Amino acid sequence: MNYSLTQIPERTVKPRNNGLTMVMDKGMSIRQVEDFLDVAADHVDVVKLGWATSFVTPKLKEKLQVYKEANIPVYFGGTLFEAFVIRNQFEDYMRTLDQFGVMYAEVSDGSMDMEQDVKCGYISRLAQNYTVLSEVGSKDEAKIIPPYKWIRLMKAELEAGAWKVIGEAREGGNVGLFRGSGEVRQGLVEEILTEVPSESIIWEAPQKSQQVWFVKLLGANVNLGNIAPNEVISVETIRLGLRGDTFN
């Protein structure tokens, strides 16, 4: 930090298991990544190349190397996993991870129907060689999953070998954990927390109001995901009570 302030919440240090900030890269250039990391690398724990943007991103290997040199793991969005699976190309998916040296993998079923035991089978298989993040929730705003099912799915996927489960919100923060307006489904979150440890969940929270809500509920070391690159410093101040929203 640049100067001393007392009574600042204690933050976990990297590499950490909780207090994670997962950043959504939706197609930044290599130069943009370099500039982003110059400012925010100390506060970034993992980067997701959103949905299937990696399929069309130029100079992908070179870009991944920039993240690697900053000791920040990267993974391809879950929609890419689904795109391979729905085409019966799961083996090709694993070869793609190896080809690009990606050691993290996201398993999701937000865009397609997948039986729970099938999804857990993919998690178990990937967990043998990769660090797996498993996303729970639908990208369809009309599909409301009841709390008991969120809990059941999260527990099963953690038991199958997922390092963390991700609460779905999309990059807009208007599905899954949130209503169409972006308002947190508070009862859902609180019920999930009765049975699933907070440190095992990354809450996708792209909107400032959502980040503030989770920090107020779970403290400075809550796991937050889908953070925009230009919002990482802002999120860190929210965690530390240095923005008006969490000042008290």
Side-chain angles (χ1 to χ4, degrees):
M1 302 304 171
N2 293 318
Y3 37 80
S4 176
L5 282 174
T6 63
Q7 301 178 64
I8 297 295
E10 185 176 349
R11 285 283 276 126
T12 51
V13 296
K14 295 172 62 174
R16 51 191 158 208
N17 192 52
N18 63 307
L20 303 172
T21 296
M22 178 265 277
V23 171
M24 168 82 86
D25 177 341
K26 298 191 289 186
M28 289 193 294
S29 68
I30 292 174
R31 185 172 300 171
Q32 286 173 316
V33 171
E34 291 171 340
D35 288 344
F36 156 57
L37 294 177
D38 183 53
V39 173
D42 288 347
H43 309 296
V44 177
D45 298 282
V46 60
V47 169
K48 170 166 64 176
L49 303 188
W51 56 101
T53 55
S54 58
F55 184 70
V56 295
T57 296
K59 299 180 180 178
L60 179 59
K61 282 191 174 180
E62 293 88 339
K63 179 176 174 175
L64 291 171
Q65 183 62 29
V66 175
Y67 281 119
K68 183 177 181 180
E69 290 172 359
N71 294 315
I72 295 175
V74 178
Y75 66 96
F76 300 145
T79 303
L80 183 69
F81 162 80
E82 295 179 55
F84 274 97
V85 167
I86 206 166
R87 292 169 173 80
N88 296 314
Q89 290 183 256
F90 178 67
E91 299 293 334
D92 290 334
Y93 173 73
M94 290 194 293
R95 281 190 283 270
T96 299
L97 297 181
D98 294 341
Q99 176 188 351
F100 287 94
V102 174
M103 297 309 299
Y104 282 54
E106 180 180 343
V107 174
S108 71
D109 58 352
S111 299
M112 63 179 286
D113 292 326
M114 187 184 298
E115 294 295 328
Q116 178 68 11
D117 59 342
V118 173
K119 186 179 181 184
C120 286
Y122 285 125
I123 293 169
S124 296
R125 188 165 176 193
L126 286 166
Q128 295 174 23
N129 297 298
Y130 311 94
T131 300
V132 178
L133 300 98
S134 183
E135 190 172 69
V136 176
S138 175
K139 290 178 169 59
D140 183 353
E141 61 185 72
K143 186 176 181 180
I144 305 298
I145 301 173
Y148 80 88
K149 192 170 182 181
W150 281 81
I151 292 168
R152 189 184 73 199
L153 296 173
M154 285 181 166
K155 282 184 168 182
E157 291 167 27
L158 288 166
E159 290 171 3
W163 170 56
K164 303 288 183 188
V165 288
I166 301 172
E168 171 72 78
R170 300 197 75 174
E171 72 277 9
N174 56 2
V175 299
L177 296 169
F178 308 102
R179 298 182 174 88
S181 63
E183 180 186 1
V184 182
R185 294 176 61 195
Q186 182 173 345
L188 168 63
V189 171
E190 291 178 346
E191 193 159 345
I192 288 171
L193 288 169
T194 63
E195 298 198 43
V196 184
S198 174
E199 59 268 23
S200 296
I201 306 170
I202 297 176
W203 309 95
E204 291 187 344
Q207 298 182 25
K208 186 191 77 168
S209 61
Q210 297 164 352
Q211 298 153 11
V212 168
W213 191 89
F214 278 108
V215 169
K216 284 183 173 181
L217 179 70
L218 296 169
N221 292 305
V222 60
N223 299 320
L224 297 175
N226 281 15
I227 305 301
N230 65 341
E231 293 291 331
V232 171
I233 295 296
S234 170
V235 168
E236 196 63 24
T237 62
I238 289 170
R239 291 182 184 275
L240 297 178
L242 296 175
R243 187 165 177 163
D245 312 88
T246 55
F247 196 77
N248 293 321

